[in-house]
């Protein structure tokens, strides 16, 4: 316990315990808890607990768990995309959104009520079941990222040391999902339908700490502003339908590879992050670190992310 502040493994346990306890409380579920004293007095029992924890962490994660995958897809995706993926969702969405804590974060500025509903972007209420499950997944991605990227090496090395007692090669859950996303999107060519003047800004690729601002005039994108420090700012100018763009980006939005969210600072702008699961392992981990930090700190305004 003396090394508690440095131990990634103990922090992992604390985070998962806090998040899962909140899920159980909100869902009205009760579970039996084995007293710690019983575990610590038996080394074999401790190894069994570690094995159970490892197996539970893997089986909880996307792409292995369809329920966790559903939670991931409902974070910053529009209604039209969601109902196309889950054909029975409209029948249960009202009850499901109340249970999980889903909320609209962006309603497009169009006159048609039907189009407003179709392209409303949904996300997770802070503290709700969906938000906590999503945070559990991003936490596991951070603590199960077993390579040399500096931040992850620091927080995950103790986790790796502990799980090596029960398996010689613990799975890197983040990279597993990144490979799944890349495979799912390998034939995705819809991006070619974006006008050339915007294509560079919209096309998924390495993001690091960079983000793009979509400037709107009603439902029309008139400019995309790129911000990476005062010396690297750039504007892409043209005109393109926001609703058409949301259709084009539906697959990577559902898979979490791109994000489109409102900003509190400008009602006529959206923030766009691209290629979260693109690049080499180190780049992917860097992106997830930033997103995980935002999720864990409940940062509401995306412009405060970095």
């Amino acid at each position: 316990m003396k090394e508690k502040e440095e131990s990634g493994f103990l922090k992992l346990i604390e985070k998962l315990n806090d998040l899962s306890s909140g899920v159980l409380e909100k869902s009205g579920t009760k579970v039996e808890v084995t007293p710690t004293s019983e575990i610590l007095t038996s080394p074999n029992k401790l190894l069994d607990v570690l094995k159970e924890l490892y197996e539970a962490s893997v089986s909880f994660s996307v792409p292995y768990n369809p329920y966790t995958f559903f939670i991931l897809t409902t974070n910053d995706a529009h209604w039209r995309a969601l109902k196309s993926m889950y054909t029975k969702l409209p029948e249960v969405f009202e009850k499901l959104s109340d249970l999980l804590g889903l909320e609209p974060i962006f309603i497009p500025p169009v006159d048609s009520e039907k189009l407003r509903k179709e392209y409303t972007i949904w996300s997770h209420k802070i503290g709700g079941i969906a938000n906590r499950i999503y945070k559990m997944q991003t936490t596991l991605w951070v603590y199960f990222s077993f390579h040399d990227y500096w931040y992850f090496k620091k927080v995950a090395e103790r986790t790796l040391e502990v799980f090596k007692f029960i398996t010689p090669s613990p799975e890197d859950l983040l990279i597993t999902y990144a490979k799944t996303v890349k495979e799912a999107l390998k034939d995705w060519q819809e991006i070619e339908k974006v006008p050339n003047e915007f294509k560079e800004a919209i096309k998924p690729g390495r993001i690091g700490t960079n983000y793009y601002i979509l400037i709107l005039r009603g439902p029309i994108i008139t400019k995309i502003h790129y911000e990476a420090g005062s010396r690297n700012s750039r504007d892409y100018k043209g005109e393109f339908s926001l609703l058409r763009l949301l259709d084009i980006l539906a697959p990577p939005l559902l898979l979490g590879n791109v994000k489109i969210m409102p900003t509190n600072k400008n009602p006529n702008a959206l923030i766009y992050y691209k290629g979260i699961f693109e690049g080499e392992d180190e780049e992917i981990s860097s992106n997830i670190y930033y997103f995980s930090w935002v999720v864990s700190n409940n940062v509401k305004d995306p412009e405060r992310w970095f």
Side-chain angles (χ1 to χ4, degrees):
M1 294 301 291
K2 183 173 130 181
E3 299 179 0
K4 183 176 180 179
E5 291 304 313
E6 302 174 17
S7 174
F9 183 73
L10 286 179
K11 285 186 177 180
L12 169 65
I13 298 301
E14 288 178 351
K15 286 176 179 289
L16 292 180
N17 182 64
D18 176 63
L19 292 169
S20 59
S21 295
V23 171
L24 294 173
E25 181 181 347
K26 285 184 173 294
S27 63
T29 305
K30 294 185 179 181
V31 296
E32 293 184 9
V33 179
T34 303
T36 308
S37 56
E38 288 185 24
I39 299 172
L40 296 178
T41 54
S42 172
N44 289 334
K45 198 170 273 189
L46 181 57
L47 289 176
D48 288 341
V49 169
L50 286 176
K51 184 178 180 181
E52 186 178 346
L53 174 63
Y54 175 77
E55 291 175 348
S57 297
V58 173
S59 63
F60 169 85
S61 298
V62 291
Y64 302 113
N65 192 314
Y67 301 105
T68 308
F69 179 78
F70 175 75
I71 295 298
L72 182 139
T73 59
T74 55
N75 188 46
D76 306 328
H78 55 83
W79 175 243
R80 184 179 173 89
L82 285 170
K83 71 175 185 176
S84 69
M85 175 173 274
Y86 308 107
T87 55
K88 294 186 178 181
L89 185 60
E91 301 172 18
V92 297
F93 187 71
E94 186 174 346
K95 290 183 179 179
L96 200 61
S97 60
D98 288 341
L99 172 66
L100 296 178
L102 306 180
E103 64 178 356
I105 60 169
F106 174 75
I107 300 174
V110 293
D111 294 333
S112 168
E113 183 178 346
K114 180 181 179 181
L115 289 178
R116 284 200 302 272
K117 180 178 180 180
E118 288 282 289
Y119 292 97
T120 291
I121 297 178
W122 289 81
S123 191
H124 303 157
K125 291 180 182 177
I126 289 177
I129 290 177
N131 174 248
R132 287 176 175 269
I133 291 175
Y134 187 82
K135 287 167 72 172
M136 287 175 68
Q137 177 63 88
T138 55
T139 296
L140 289 172
W141 279 338
V142 168
Y143 285 85
F144 277 72
S145 190
F146 303 132
H147 56 82
D148 291 334
Y149 179 63
W150 68 270
Y151 179 81
F152 288 87
K153 188 173 183 180
K154 179 180 177 182
V155 299
E157 59 186 2
R158 295 296 177 88
T159 310
L160 180 61
E161 289 174 4
V162 170
F163 283 132
K164 276 191 172 181
F165 282 110
I166 49 98
T167 177
S169 302
E171 182 173 354
D172 190 315
L173 299 178
L174 170 57
I175 300 306
T176 295
Y177 187 59
K179 290 178 178 177
T180 301
V181 171
K182 289 181 180 181
E183 178 64 24
L185 295 176
K186 70 178 182 179
D187 297 323
W188 178 63
Q189 299 296 327
E190 292 295 295
I191 196 67
E192 297 304 318
K193 298 175 182 177
V194 175
N196 288 332
E197 55 266 37
F198 286 155
K199 199 173 294 181
E200 181 184 341
I202 295 298
K203 190 173 183 179
R206 182 173 183 266
I207 60 166
T209 59
N210 305 329
Y211 60 85
Y212 294 74
I213 306 291
L214 309 182
I215 306 298
L216 305 177
R217 186 182 66 239
I220 302 297
I221 301 170
T222 59
K223 183 172 72 173
I224 298 178
H225 176 70
Y226 167 72
E227 183 65 58
S230 58
R231 295 184 179 181
N232 293 310
S233 299
R234 181 176 176 182
D235 287 339
Y236 304 83
K237 296 181 180 180
E239 288 196 359
F240 192 58
S241 165
L242 172 64
L243 305 188
R244 183 75 183 104
L245 180 65
L246 290 176
D247 275 339
I248 289 172
L249 292 176
L253 276 171
L254 287 167
L255 293 172
N257 197 38
V258 303
K259 298 281 185 183
I260 294 182
M261 293 154 289
T263 166
N264 294 338
K265 295 181 180 179
N266 186 347
N268 297 314
L270 293 172
I271 291 188
Y272 175 72
Y273 292 89
K274 65 176 189 174
I276 298 167
F277 297 110
E278 297 291 325
E280 300 301 322
D281 294 356
E282 180 174 314
E283 294 171 337
I284 295 167
S285 294
S286 173
N287 293 340
I288 287 295
Y289 162 64
Y290 292 112
F291 284 103
S292 299
W293 180 86
V294 171
V295 172
S296 64
N297 287 280
N298 292 329
V299 178
K300 267 305 228 181
D301 189 342
E303 284 187 273
R304 293 177 52 216
W305 283 26
F306 305 109

